């Protein structure tokens, strides 16, 4: 068995790569989940190395069509079906999957151990899911998997800008989707449909805003609010209209606007104080939220005789 999990370095070895870009999270207690990007632009790659058997799955999003390859499960040849761009493929790591690849390939591999599926069921108070239903070697068109994994591509290319709250949010949603759709996990009944209690919303926002330069995982926010991770994420969105990572981005931009308006502090320093990876990261996020660059926003405030309050500053930024 594989005690460390088939992602990152271990998975890159199977594809004979020195390293592979990887995002890792432990949003579900005692379970490591990860997304690894694998790519080869040359034809005739050949056979992948064996991956140590474990009770886990690799769920792949095919970013490039790769019809010309063979698959082997437990040493038996299986002809692949429907390996077009954008499809989803599931590999059971108990079945010793090996690929003989002749086309160039590019995919994201989501590492999903059984412990994560069990933890999700335990948090939801429902029966654990069965094995993920899939037909060996056959890919399917799953828009939800495609949307969620594609959302992680910018984070993989710029990991220093990937906030844990965003990664946790996407991975949790992906795990729940796979558990319900492919694992036949029973629907959750009796779950409260409302948002957070006032004290829970206040506590979550206090934690996120207390130190903008430190990363607070979704699991810590949920624990402080005495909720499961999945319940907290859904309730926070009902209360505020946006997920926690989006609220935090707006709060950071609001704090940056206060500093831009009230001082001549260099923009690079403001970016660091507000928790952005660098000035480039700050500029991209600020522009997306405020509609203009930090430099232009500051100039605009200086030319106004009576500056108006930013809609993202202070307590108003969460709406």
């Amino acid at each position: 068995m594989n005690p460390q999990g088939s992602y990152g370095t271990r998975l890159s070895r199977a594809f004979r790569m020195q390293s592979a870009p990887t995002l890792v999270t432990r949003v579900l207690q005692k379970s490591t989940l990860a997304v690894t990007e694998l790519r080869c632009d040359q034809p005739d790659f050949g056979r992948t190395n064996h991956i140590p058997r474990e009770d886990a799955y690799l769920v792949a999003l095919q970013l490039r069509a790769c019809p010309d390859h063979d698959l082997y499960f437990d040493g038996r040849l299986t002809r692949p079906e429907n390996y077009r761009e954008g499809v989803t493929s599931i590999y059971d790591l108990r079945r010793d999957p090996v690929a003989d690849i002749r086309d160039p390939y590019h995919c994201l591999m989501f590492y999903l151990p059984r412990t994560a599926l069990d933890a999700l069921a335990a948090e939801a108070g429902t029966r654990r899911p069965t094995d993920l239903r899939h037909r060996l070697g056959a890919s399917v068109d799953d828009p939800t998997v495609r949307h969620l994994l594609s959302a992680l591509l910018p984070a993989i290319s710029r990991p220093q800008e990937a906030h844990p709250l965003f990664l946790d949010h996407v991975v949790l949603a992906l795990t729940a989707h796979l558990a319900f759709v492919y694992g036949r996990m029973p629907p959750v009944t009796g779950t409260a449909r409302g948002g957070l209690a006032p004290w829970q919303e206040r506590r979550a926002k206090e934690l996120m805003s207390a130190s903008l330069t430190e990363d607070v995982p979704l699991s810590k926010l949920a624990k402080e609010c005495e909720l499961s991770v999945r319940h907290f994420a859904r309730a926070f969105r009902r209360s505020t209209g946006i997920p926690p990572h989006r609220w935090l981005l707006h709060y950071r931009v609001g704090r940056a606007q206060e500093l831009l308006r009230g001082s001549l502090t260099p923009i690079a320093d403001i970016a660091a104080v507000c928790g952005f990876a660098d000035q480039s990261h700050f500029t991209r996020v600020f522009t997306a939220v405020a509609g203009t660059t930090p430099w232009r926003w500051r100039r605009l405030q200086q030319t106004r005789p009576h500056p108006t309050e930013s809609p993202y500053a202070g307590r108003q930024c969460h709406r």
Side-chain angles (χ1 to χ4, degrees):
M1 300 297 287
N2 185 359
Q4 296 186 23
S6 298
Y7 59 89
T9 301
R10 283 179 174 263
L11 189 57
S12 65
R13 288 173 182 168
F15 284 79
R16 303 197 301 275
M17 300 170 62
Q18 290 186 350
S19 62
T22 304
L23 299 171
V24 180
T25 178
R26 291 180 63 85
V27 63
L28 290 170
Q29 190 175 22
K30 299 179 181 179
S31 300
T32 298
L33 300 109
V35 178
T36 304
E37 182 180 16
L38 300 171
R39 180 170 187 166
C40 178
D41 295 324
Q42 302 301 319
D44 299 321
F45 173 84
R47 284 201 179 205
T48 59
N49 295 324
H50 291 274
I51 301 173
R53 294 178 189 265
E54 61 173 309
D55 196 359
Y57 296 90
L58 290 175
V59 180
L61 172 64
Q62 305 297 333
L63 298 172
R64 181 175 187 170
C66 184
D68 191 8
H69 71 284
D70 294 322
L71 293 170
Y72 296 85
F73 299 94
D74 295 323
R76 296 182 179 179
L77 173 64
T78 300
R79 298 296 183 184
E81 300 178 27
N82 191 33
Y83 271 72
R84 297 178 291 105
E85 179 182 346
V87 298
T88 296
S89 313
I90 299 177
Y91 305 94
D92 188 338
L93 293 179
R94 296 170 298 183
R95 301 291 302 272
D96 185 28
V98 172
D100 187 355
I101 307 172
R102 292 174 290 277
D103 273 338
Y105 63 84
H106 186 196
C107 64
L108 294 180
M109 288 283 192
F110 174 50
Y111 170 72
L112 177 62
R114 163 63 64 179
T115 55
L117 293 170
D118 292 346
L120 182 70
E123 283 196 351
T126 189
R127 175 174 55 82
R128 59 183 285 186
T130 59
D131 293 341
L132 298 189
R133 292 176 297 172
H134 66 288
R135 189 155 55 89
L136 291 180
S139 296
V140 297
D141 185 15
D142 188 322
T144 300
V145 173
R146 182 168 62 251
H147 172 75
L148 290 173
L149 281 179
S150 295
L152 294 178
L153 277 170
I156 287 180
S157 63
R158 295 188 294 269
Q160 71 279 7
E161 299 178 10
H163 196 280
L165 280 178
F166 173 69
L167 177 59
D168 290 351
H169 175 79
V170 173
V171 167
L172 183 64
L174 180 57
T175 302
H177 171 75
L178 294 168
F180 284 111
V181 175
Y182 299 92
R184 292 170 286 187
M185 192 171 85
V188 180
T189 58
T191 301
R193 294 183 176 275
L196 298 173
W199 75 266
Q200 292 171 322
E201 183 177 347
R202 183 171 58 252
R203 180 57 178 153
K205 291 177 179 178
E206 286 174 352
L207 285 171
M208 286 189 286
S209 59
S211 180
L212 296 182
T213 58
E214 294 182 6
D215 296 331
V216 181
L218 198 59
S219 57
K220 182 175 181 178
L221 297 177
K223 183 178 180 180
E224 289 289 329
C225 292
E226 301 177 8
L227 296 173
S228 71
V229 176
R230 187 164 178 266
H231 186 184
F232 169 79
R234 296 175 68 180
F236 186 95
R237 185 160 192 163
R238 288 194 182 101
S239 293
T240 66
I242 53 179
H245 71 272
R246 183 65 59 184
W247 184 92
L248 181 57
L249 280 182
H250 284 186
Y251 185 88
R252 285 175 165 176
V253 169
R255 178 59 183 144
Q257 287 176 330
E258 293 173 357
L259 296 174
L260 287 168
R261 181 191 295 116
S263 73
L264 296 178
T265 304
I267 289 178
D269 293 346
I270 292 176
V273 168
C274 293
F276 294 96
D278 50 35
Q279 184 172 335
S280 176
H281 179 214
F282 172 50
T283 299
R284 283 196 300 273
V285 174
F286 189 98
T287 302
V289 172
T292 188
T293 65
W295 183 83
R296 289 177 179 173
W297 192 91
R298 171 182 268 174
R299 288 291 301 272
L300 180 61
Q301 301 308 304
Q302 292 172 347
T303 59
R304 287 180 176 175
H306 302 287
T308 57
E309 183 70 15
S310 163
Y312 299 107
R315 295 175 58 189
Q316 296 181 9
C317 67
H318 64 281
R319 292 294 178 182

